[in-house]
Amino acid sequence: MIDKLRKDSIILIAIGLGILVGAYFYPSPAVVGAGFGVLAPGVVRLARYYYYRTPAHLPEYEAQQRAFSINMKDERKVFLRARAGQIAYQILFLTLLLLGAVGSLFKVNPWFCLTFLLLALFAYLCGAIAFYFLSRKL
Amino acid sequence: MKNRLEEFRKQRGIRQEELAEILQVSRQTIGSLENGRYNPSILLAFKIARFFGTAIEDIFIYEEEESK
């Protein structure tokens, strides 16, 4: 279990360094930021690996992993996450519609209004397609 | 849904954390079940009943008025 932590950290560090090397050929703040954004968690994970592999700390890591595994599979928490996602989707959809409608009323740049309305349409279509495939599967 | 989960658990002399560990759920789920705030899935209800060596109906009390 703990070896996965080391493997993941090496992969993240390798990808982060690869992106930073790529930034040398394509200098851009976004690329450099992405490189460090991937490298930093890899370094943190590697530090965690060396901390938790000692016999004194290994039981603590295994307890954390057990708790994490239970929290991921626990049916009430799965239900709460799904319900939270549903609420977030509804809020996002209504907000985008309102922004598009209010923007057009106050004569905001039409491209902004169109973007908001297209995003709302996209969110709606994603939800409809997800519902379709889930209802066929279940 | 009303249930006698807390009663059965205390008869066995185990804490919520221990029951949660055995059933592979979180302690908060056991707490919510005992308070009646959350109804378990059929799978979890079976696991609970099997653990206590009893039928589901002995632990979880279904009342007709709840479905209205």
Side-chain angles (χ1 to χ4, degrees), chain A residues 4-21 33-48:
Chain A
K4 191 177 181 302
L5 196 59
R6 184 172 64 122
K7 204 169 25 168
D8 291 348
S9 63
I10 289 171
I11 290 170
L12 283 172
I13 290 170
I15 293 173
L17 287 175
I19 294 172
L20 286 173
V21 165
F36 281 111
V38 175
L39 181 67
V43 169
V44 168
R45 286 177 85 87
L46 195 63
R48 286 185 70 216

Side-chain angles (χ1 to χ4, degrees), chain A residues 66 69-71 73-77 79, chain B residues 21 25-26 28-29 32 38 40-41 44:
Chain A
R66 262 198 313 273
S69 171
I70 285 175
N71 280 328
K73 290 183 224 164
D74 176 68
E75 62 175 50
R76 179 177 155 272
K77 298 211 169 173
F79 166 74
Chain B
E21 181 91 32
V25 296
S26 64
Q28 295 91 336
T29 297
S32 292
Y38 174 70
S41 67
L44 182 56

Side-chain angles (χ1 to χ4, degrees), chain B residues 25-58:
Chain B
V25 296
S26 64
R27 191 207 58 79
Q28 295 91 336
T29 297
I30 300 296
S32 292
L33 283 170
E34 290 182 357
N35 288 336
R37 287 200 310 262
Y38 174 70
N39 292 328
S41 67
I42 189 81
L43 192 61
L44 182 56
F46 264 116
K47 281 185 186 175
I48 292 170
R50 184 170 294 177
F51 172 73
F52 289 111
T54 183
I56 290 181
E57 294 86 351
D58 292 338

Side-chain angles (χ1 to χ4, degrees), chain A residues 46-122:
Chain A
L46 195 63
R48 286 185 70 216
Y49 165 74
Y50 282 109
Y51 175 77
Y52 282 119
R53 75 170 187 164
T54 56
H57 297 125
L58 192 57
E60 182 189 337
Y61 176 75
E62 283 168 0
Q64 275 181 8
Q65 288 302 105
R66 262 198 313 273
F68 176 74
S69 171
I70 285 175
N71 280 328
M72 288 308 291
K73 290 183 224 164
D74 176 68
E75 62 175 50
R76 179 177 155 272
K77 298 211 169 173
V78 167
F79 166 74
L80 288 175
R81 282 194 290 270
R83 189 84 181 101
Q86 183 188 7
I87 291 169
Y89 160 80
Q90 287 171 345
I91 292 171
L92 174 69
F93 179 70
L94 285 172
T95 303
L96 288 169
L97 275 184
L98 273 172
L99 282 172
V102 168
S104 64
L105 275 175
F106 286 100
K107 297 190 171 41
V108 166
N109 187 330
W111 289 112
F112 282 129
C113 299
L114 186 64
T115 303
F116 290 135
L117 293 173
L118 284 176
L119 282 172
L121 181 64
F122 177 68

